[in-house]
Every structure is written in structure tokens, then in C-alpha cells.
Amino acid sequence: VQLQACGGGLVQAGGSLRLSCAASGRTFSNYAMGWFRQAPGKEREFVAAVNWSGRGTSYADSLKGRFTISRDNARTVYLQMNSLKPEDTAVYYCAAGPVSSRTYLGYDYWGQGTQVTVSS
């Protein structure tokens, strides 16, 4: 599985962005997908995950209600981010793994990352 993330950019606080992650490979629908982020000087942290069917999702507690993960099983997973805050500034990575996991160790494949910058 190869992953290509896009949709990042510069947005003002309170704004929204929608990240996309396009997957190639025949078995995309068998994989759980996750989003992680890493800010400068900080560890990579879990953002959201969705299971293979799209019906099971999980979120970092601090992001519930603002971020929504979804997948269309046509090889794309999305992360809708609303009410963005400056502390959401980070490089966002999508990942694919056998099961939905809140730890980066649970994922086998990673996209290249897309920068999200939220200005105050």
C-alpha cells in the first residue's frame, strides 16, 4: 500500500481544512486507516482512526467534536478539521495498518505528510 496525503495549508484560527489520503494497492479496503500529527519538537501523536469498514472510528480525546475521519473505500480516507486552533499546527500523516490503533506502532504504511499551519 502506498499513501499520498494532501490538503494541508495555511488557515486562520477558527477555519477548516479537509485532508485527503489516497491509497494505491489492491487491498486498501482491508486496512484500518489512521491520522497522526507531529509538531516541531514534539512526538508524533494520534489524531483519529477508522476501521476497514468505515463504521468504527476513534479520536484523540482533545480533538473530539472538531475532527472527523471518514473513508469512501474507493482508496481515499479523509480528515475534516473544523474550528482549527494554532496548536493544531503540525505535519499530518496518514497511515494504514491491519487494525484500527491509537499508536503509531500499529501501522505498517505511512504517507509523506502534509503541513497544516493555523495562524492566530
Side-chain angles (χ1 to χ4, degrees), residues 9-15 17 84-89 116-120:
L10 174 64
V11 64
Q12 288 187 334
L17 281 175
L84 283 162
K85 304 175 181 180
E87 52 262 44
D88 294 319
T89 295
V116 172
T117 303
V118 184
S119 63
S120 57

Side-chain angles (χ1 to χ4, degrees), residues 1-6 20-22 33-35 44 91-96 107-114:
V1 176
Q2 293 184 329
L3 305 174
Q4 181 75 33
C6 64
S20 299
C21 177
M33 300 295 295
W35 286 97
R44 190 168 298 192
V91 177
Y92 284 71
Y93 298 89
C94 60
Y107 295 88
D108 300 322
Y109 304 97
W110 290 85
Q112 85 288 0
T114 184

Side-chain angles (χ1 to χ4, degrees), residues 4-111:
Q4 181 75 33
C6 64
L10 174 64
V11 64
Q12 288 187 334
S16 297
L17 281 175
R18 189 193 197 199
L19 305 184
S20 299
C21 177
S24 61
R26 293 178 297 174
T27 57
F28 168 74
S29 60
N30 295 339
Y31 285 90
M33 300 295 295
W35 286 97
F36 289 76
R37 67 184 185 184
Q38 188 166 19
K42 295 187 177 181
E43 295 185 353
R44 190 168 298 192
E45 66 173 346
F46 171 74
V47 173
V50 59
N51 69 355
W52 67 272
S53 72
R55 291 190 288 269
T57 59
S58 63
Y59 297 90
D61 291 343
S62 62
L63 301 177
K64 282 182 181 178
R66 295 197 297 123
F67 288 17
T68 304
I69 189 171
S70 62
R71 64 188 299 168
D72 60 11
N73 279 340
R75 302 182 182 278
T76 305
V77 63
Y78 305 95
L79 184 69
Q80 178 68 42
M81 306 185 294
N82 298 327
S83 302
L84 283 162
K85 304 175 181 180
E87 52 262 44
D88 294 319
T89 295
V91 177
Y92 284 71
Y93 298 89
C94 60
V99 294
S100 179
S101 175
R102 301 170 72 90
T103 173
Y104 69 90
L105 295 175
Y107 295 88
D108 300 322
Y109 304 97
W110 290 85

